[in-house]
Structure formats: structure tokens, C-alpha cells
Amino acid sequence: MAIMVSTAVLISASGSGTLAGPKDDAFAVIQNWATAFNASDIDKIIAAYTPEASVHGTTANSLAVGKDALRAYFGPAARSRNQVKLAQDGSEATTMLGDGQVVVAGFYEFSGTRPDGQAFTAPARYTFVLVKQDGAWLIAHQHSSPRARPAQ
């Protein structure tokens, strides 16, 4: 009886009847990153990365390495209150590289207002490399680049 009750509690706690695995846990970090980005919460954005993380940003001319460089890179977007929307339409791919190492690739779209007052949307593609450190998934590297607009 105790086993049946424990099993029922685990199933109901997981919501879908299956427990989340490393891929889901790692992707949740990206979802939390997007939430922090949309809230313009620079501290939470930076907290999603390892101390030595690197970012090849969509609009950057150089590689940002380390938390200070990431803060400098993400600061203008946070101050401008830019937004990001993750495409969650099955176009994303999550690959386990080994224990505690995951690569997630997919698409997102940035939006906001330029300094001249013009609204913009910028479709982009991403690759995140996540590692598990001290029991937590963190972003070790992010590559973002503009996405080609569909031919019309």
C-alpha cells in the first residue's frame, strides 16, 4: 500500500505521469533565462551562466567571456526592455553530450524599440551549451545569430 501511495504521489507531482529528465531540466534553464530577459532582470540573466561562460551575441562584434562581459553585453537590452520569445513548436533540438552536458538549439525572436523610436523584431537562432555544476544546470556558452527571413 505504501508503495502504491508513493508512486501515485510521484506521478501526480510530475504532472504528466513522467518525471523530468536532464534534457527537460536543462531546457528549463533556457526558459528561465528568457523569463529573466523579458523582465529585464540583469542579475537573473547573468546568474543563469557559469562564471567563465561565453556568448557570441546576435548583435555583438566580439565574444563576451565572463560575468562582467555578459553584464556589459546584456545591459543595453535590459535597459531598453527588449523581449525574447522562444519558438516552442518542435523546431528545437536537445542533445545530451554526456553526463551533465547538454546542447540545445532552436529559434527565438527578439523585439523592442530602437533608440529612434522604431519598433523592431529580429528573428534569430540559438545554440546553448549547458553544464551541470554543483547540482545545477548553467549556461556555459550561447551562440545567437540572425535568422534568415523566409523567401516571399
Side-chain angles (χ1 to χ4, degrees):
M1 181 68 158
I3 293 173
M4 288 174 46
V5 170
S6 296
T7 302
V9 168
L10 284 172
I11 290 172
S12 67
S14 70
S16 65
T18 60
L19 298 175
K23 289 182 180 183
D24 294 327
D25 294 341
F27 191 73
V29 172
I30 297 168
Q31 292 172 315
N32 290 337
W33 170 87
T35 299
F37 187 95
N38 290 337
S40 299
D41 190 332
I42 194 75
D43 292 330
K44 284 188 180 177
I45 293 169
I46 302 307
Y49 293 86
T50 65
E52 67 284 351
S54 57
V55 173
H56 266 301
T58 309
T59 60
N61 291 324
S62 61
L63 180 66
V65 180
K67 297 224 179 205
D68 290 340
L70 297 183
R71 186 173 297 281
Y73 176 72
F74 286 112
R79 286 188 295 279
S80 297
R81 309 216 36 94
N82 291 349
Q83 299 290 290
V84 66
K85 182 179 179 188
L86 296 172
Q88 294 182 331
D89 56 5
S91 62
E92 66 280 349
T94 305
T95 305
M96 291 293 301
L97 298 178
D99 288 343
Q101 303 164 350
V102 175
V103 172
V104 181
F107 301 99
Y108 46 22
E109 183 174 87
F110 294 96
S111 61
T113 305
R114 292 188 177 99
D116 65 3
Q118 292 290 337
F120 75 88
T121 58
R125 51 191 165 206
Y126 65 79
T127 303
F128 286 93
V129 177
L130 295 103
V131 295
K132 198 165 194 179
Q133 292 184 348
D134 299 323
W137 286 102
L138 296 170
I139 302 166
H141 178 72
Q142 176 186 357
H143 180 237
S144 183
S145 57
R147 183 176 183 182
R149 297 197 186 264
Q152 295 182 356

